[in-house]
Amino acid sequence: MTPADYDYLRKFLKERSGLDLSADKQYLVESRLLPLARKASLPGIPDLVLKIRNGDGRLATDVVEAMTTNETFFYRDKIPFDHLRETILPGLIRARAARKSLRIWSAASSTGQEPYSIAMCVKEMGAALAGWRIEIVATDLSQEVLEKSKAGVYSQFEVQRGLPIQHLMKYFTQTGELWQLNADIRAMVQFRQLNLLQDFSHLGTFDVIFCRNVLIYFDQDTKAVIFERMAKGLEADGTLLLGAAESVVGITDAFRPITERRGLYQLNPARSGRPMGGLMPQPLKVAAAR
């Protein structure tokens, strides 16, 4: 790959997906795009770049998907899901007792492990959410990973990463060497294609937004725009969850961190003008689903 090819791909990927590649990431591009070039019966990446320049839309989409498909696994980092189960959901159960509805967004959901982990957390609340309308919306740029997500089928390796054995036995059915999430869990999640660079106000407002381990690939200006849009799509007392290596500090004042809850943020009332309705309530004891 020539320097000119790499420069073109950097600009192309940033424009199409927000991915901000530094000058020293050429090895990453080569490792992900060489297999794609071979699959398309092309001699190498320069030929792939030429076809994109000449308007091959299908190949352009494949390049974006190859570069933006990121690693994920069930209950990744564990702590955010502990917060969801022990603090966020109990607090929302109190706050939404009158309307009995919750909306949760998993942004950049990749192959589905995060939104399905959220669904299992909700299911584990048992009777505390009986009769509630729960919407879990999962979005990703890649149509390919969305199709895998909808099927809810995972390998032995994938279910061994982060998934408690009791949840594997409780919520999955084994077929040969593969495991499929049971229909009731799959039905809890709506999968939609979405580019975070574009307006997403049509998704509506949410009580909880998971946007973890994706913004680290964007530049500061792009992050700021996305945070502003998410602030408009979050309920006044809602919660934003970011990845362990991500923060709003120095990027936006639309959110402020929740004390002693790493990775959790709520709207800044001084900025939004909306009352908070109280920060994180004490955990509510609930009976787990059986």
Side-chain angles (χ1 to χ4, degrees):
M1 177 166 48
T2 67
D5 289 333
Y6 183 57
D7 186 54
Y8 172 81
L9 286 170
R10 288 178 65 189
K11 293 176 180 177
F12 167 77
L13 288 165
K14 184 172 182 179
E15 180 181 324
R16 289 285 293 268
S17 69
L19 182 62
D20 188 26
L21 291 170
S22 59
D24 62 349
K25 289 293 190 294
Q26 184 168 326
Y27 73 92
L28 176 64
V29 174
E30 290 176 337
S31 67
R32 293 198 178 186
L33 297 190
L34 273 174
L36 182 60
R38 295 191 188 105
K39 183 179 178 182
S41 300
L42 298 172
I45 294 178
D47 306 271
L48 182 148
V49 169
L50 181 60
K51 287 184 74 69
I52 295 174
R53 285 180 179 273
N54 290 336
D56 190 324
R58 177 65 258 180
L59 194 57
T61 298
D62 290 344
V63 166
V64 172
E65 293 200 351
M67 291 303 304
T68 57
T69 300
N70 302 308
E71 181 184 56
T72 186
F73 49 91
F74 290 101
Y75 296 105
R76 183 176 182 180
D77 301 329
K78 188 178 181 298
I79 292 175
F81 297 97
D82 290 341
H83 289 328
L84 178 67
R85 182 177 57 256
E86 298 169 4
T87 306
I88 298 173
L89 286 176
L92 287 171
I93 288 171
R94 290 192 180 96
R96 307 290 186 266
R99 78 182 197 198
K100 292 187 180 299
S101 67
L102 291 176
R103 300 192 78 230
I104 303 173
W105 177 20
S106 170
S109 60
S110 190
T111 46
Q113 285 93 324
E114 179 176 271
Y116 285 137
S117 296
I118 295 169
M120 286 184 280
C121 284
V122 170
K123 195 76 169 178
E124 287 291 299
M125 301 304 287
L129 288 174
W132 285 56
R133 181 172 62 86
I134 311 293
E135 288 185 67
I136 302 172
V137 177
T139 64
D140 199 272
L141 176 63
S142 169
Q143 188 61 46
E144 181 180 352
V145 299
L146 288 172
E147 292 304 318
K148 175 178 170 59
S149 300
K150 291 175 185 177
V153 176
Y154 299 94
S155 67
Q156 185 69 39
F157 174 74
E158 288 172 316
V159 298
Q160 286 176 335
R161 301 187 70 198
L163 185 67
I165 186 63
Q166 61 269 31
H167 285 189
L168 178 63
M169 296 295 102
K170 189 173 184 180
Y171 297 120
F172 289 75
T173 300
Q174 187 173 17
T175 305
E177 297 182 354
L178 299 175
W179 294 83
Q180 183 173 35
L181 274 153
N182 296 338
D184 60 332
I185 298 296
R186 299 200 311 272
M188 293 175 68
V189 184
Q190 306 170 30
F191 290 97
R192 304 181 191 176
Q193 188 173 30
L194 180 77
N195 188 335
L196 287 174
L197 297 185
Q198 299 170 352
D199 177 64
F200 44 76
S201 59
H202 62 280
L203 293 178
T205 56
F206 294 90
D207 302 291
V208 183
I209 297 176
F210 279 72
C211 185
R212 304 191 310 133
N213 307 307
V214 63
L215 296 181
I216 54 174
Y217 300 106
F218 296 167
D219 62 28
Q220 296 292 85
D221 291 341
T222 304
K223 290 177 187 177
V225 171
I226 292 173
F227 280 136
E228 290 295 323
R229 292 174 181 165
M230 286 189 169
K232 294 177 182 178
L234 189 66
E235 293 282 0
D237 58 349
T239 305
L240 169 68
L241 292 91
L242 300 180
E246 298 166 324
S247 174
V248 302
V249 177
I251 302 173
T252 180
D253 63 353
F255 294 94
R256 66 179 183 184
I258 298 173
T259 305
E260 298 180 357
R261 295 289 191 275
R262 181 172 60 86
L264 272 63
Y265 299 84
Q266 287 188 310
L267 293 175
N268 182 354
R271 164 68 192 283
S272 68
R274 292 188 279 174
M276 299 298 292
L279 289 179
M280 310 301 292
Q282 291 297 312
L284 172 70
K285 292 183 179 180
V286 296
R290 299 185 181 278

